[in-house]
């Protein structure tokens, strides 16, 4: 075993990992609770039905949080530091939608130990969130 | 009473609103639960003590979620649509830190009904997150 292997040397452009999760009513209520965002479009069936979305939707940052999960637990994994994240919210996510989050390495700066990712969430093969992230690997 | 007042006409550049919240251990565990991000730097005291942070830190997107709360409930308030958000994670947020989130209108495009915000979180007057957001007002 060689414990001195540098994790960044094992990373390559194009590496990707995914995480799928069904958004539940409980998830949305928990997110509202910890964020303080109880916008009725997330919380109130009657209000949401009358809105442009036609039903209650998940908070955009709830789906985006799956990127954090992928970075922190899979690629590059524990110990990494979140430097930045950009997010475009392209389509609504509804209760019981299955969100597929994926992060893909687009560039690596070994000197500065930075990894640059494309980050995407899809629902039924349609992009609901796109963006980019930068991760520092101490 | 004039119910036909257009909300966007009441918005002005420089308008700002804030939200302060103490980050608790329970918030971090809830966020880990709904995101799936159980990176030990958030969850494991021993691991976190040995890390560059010297203790357990909150998920960056947990503090960022307070921007969502401000947009959805205060400025411009319910009914608005989150178009985009950029985030730079500048400093760690620890358990029991009080996070002060603020959003400030930087530009308004009345024709496209878009509002552009500067978004900042501070802890003890130091920036922990900076970024920008775009909101659509149907």
């Amino acid at each position: 075993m060689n414990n001195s292997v540098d994790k960044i040397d094992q990373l390559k452009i194009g590496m990707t990992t995914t995480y799928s999760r069904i958004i539940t009513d409980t998830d949305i209520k928990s997110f509202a609770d910890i964020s303080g965002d109880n916008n009725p479009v997330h919380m109130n069936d009657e209000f949401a039905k009358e809105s442009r979305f036609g039903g209650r939707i998940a908070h955009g940052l709830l789906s985006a949080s799956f990127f954090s999960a992928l970075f922190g637990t899979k690629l590059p994994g524990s110990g990494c530091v979140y430097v930045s994240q950009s997010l475009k919210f392209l389509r609504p996510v509804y209760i019981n939608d299955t969100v597929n989050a994926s992060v893909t390495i687009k560039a690596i700066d070994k000197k500065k130990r930075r990894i640059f990712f494309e980050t995407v969430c899809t629902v039924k093969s349609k992009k609901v969130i796109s963006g980019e992230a930068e991760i520092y690997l101490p």
Side-chain angles (χ1 to χ4, degrees), chain A:
Chain A
M1 297 293 287
N2 182 356
N3 289 319
S4 67
V5 167
D6 189 341
K7 205 174 189 178
I8 204 162
D9 288 330
Q10 301 177 309
L11 301 176
K12 305 275 177 246
I13 290 170
M15 277 182 162
T16 187
T17 184
T18 63
Y19 174 56
S20 294
R21 182 158 171 158
I22 297 170
I23 300 281
T24 67
D25 178 55
T26 304
D27 292 334
I28 292 173
K29 285 176 179 160
S30 293
F31 193 88
D33 192 40
I34 58 175
S35 67
D37 185 355
N38 48 25
N39 187 333
V41 80
H42 306 304
M43 304 300 284
N44 183 314
D45 279 317
E46 284 69 42
F47 180 96
K49 265 181 205 159
E50 297 300 315
S51 78
R52 68 202 311 261
F53 301 117
R56 283 170 58 205
I57 62 169
H59 305 75
L61 289 176
L62 172 53
S63 299
S65 76
F66 304 154
F67 301 139
S68 174
L70 285 168
F71 296 134
T73 68
K74 294 176 102 179
L75 185 70
S78 70
C80 75
V81 177
Y82 218 164
V83 177
S84 70
Q85 175 77 58
S86 66
L87 299 163
K88 287 189 182 177
F89 303 106
L90 305 171
R91 287 186 179 82
V93 173
Y94 295 91
I95 296 172
N96 295 324
D97 275 350
T98 298
V99 172
N100 300 290
S102 65
V103 302
T104 305
I105 297 177
K106 304 307 282 183
I108 301 169
D109 183 336
K110 287 196 181 182
K111 202 171 173 187
K112 292 186 179 170
R113 304 190 64 79
R114 305 291 173 124
I115 310 148
F116 300 86
F117 288 87
E118 181 184 20
T119 60
V120 176
C121 284
T122 62
V123 171
K124 300 185 191 94
S125 302
K126 287 194 174 173
K127 275 190 194 181
V128 294
I129 300 179
S130 68
E132 295 179 350
E134 183 180 341
I135 297 290
Y136 172 58
L137 201 57

